[in-house]
Amino acid sequence: MAHVAVKLVQGVAVATIHNPPVNGLSLAVRAGLLKALEQARAERADALLLVGGGRTFPAGADIAEFRQPALVAQFASLNDVLGALDEAELPLVAALHGTALGGGLELALAAHWRVAAPSLRVGLPEVHLGLLPGAG
């Protein structure tokens, strides 16, 4: 299964992120988000909806990549993806449930609109480690 699957539903491109268990924003997910945006444009969708598959919206970075900085640096950073989504002419909506932490919260904030389940939890836990938010 693709890390980001896109399906056109009544004119809306629904991009569902699948990277269990917490939908970490891995390289494959970041690339999938960029492809989802391109697919939505190509299909002339009226909007792009970002959804977390399973139990949560992306809950932050994929920590397995922290040990591979040289590999990750060759590909789209989360900042690149967030910039592309923020600048999209297509309306972008993030449907939030579960947890949206760190980069996941930043992904939600890059959307033009957000809707949230009442049980949603958000935060920037990296500040407790002395790291600045900003997907950098």
Side-chain angles (χ1 to χ4, degrees):
M1 174 179 275
H3 281 82
V4 179
V6 181
K7 181 178 180 182
L8 197 61
V9 179
Q10 297 181 358
V12 175
V14 179
T16 304
I17 301 165
H18 298 281
N19 190 17
V22 296
N23 286 327
L25 295 167
S26 66
L27 174 60
V29 170
R30 295 190 309 271
L33 288 169
L34 291 175
K35 286 182 183 178
L37 179 58
E38 288 306 313
Q39 185 176 342
R41 287 177 176 146
E43 293 183 7
R44 298 180 173 266
D46 296 322
L48 175 60
L49 174 65
L50 301 178
V51 178
R55 63 184 183 153
T56 188
F57 193 76
D62 186 337
I63 60 172
E65 289 184 353
F66 290 179
R67 291 170 280 196
Q68 304 169 344
L71 173 68
V72 174
Q74 297 174 23
F75 300 98
S77 70
L78 185 56
N79 279 333
D80 295 334
V81 174
L82 298 179
L85 294 172
D86 180 51
E87 295 171 6
E89 67 288 346
L90 192 64
L92 177 64
V93 179
L96 307 166
H97 73 287
T99 56
L101 302 172
L105 177 56
E106 293 175 56
L107 175 62
L109 292 174
H112 303 122
W113 292 279
R114 286 150 296 282
V115 293
S119 59
L120 174 70
R121 296 183 68 206
V122 299
L124 298 169
E126 59 269 36
V127 300
H128 295 289
L129 300 173
L131 301 174
L132 294 175

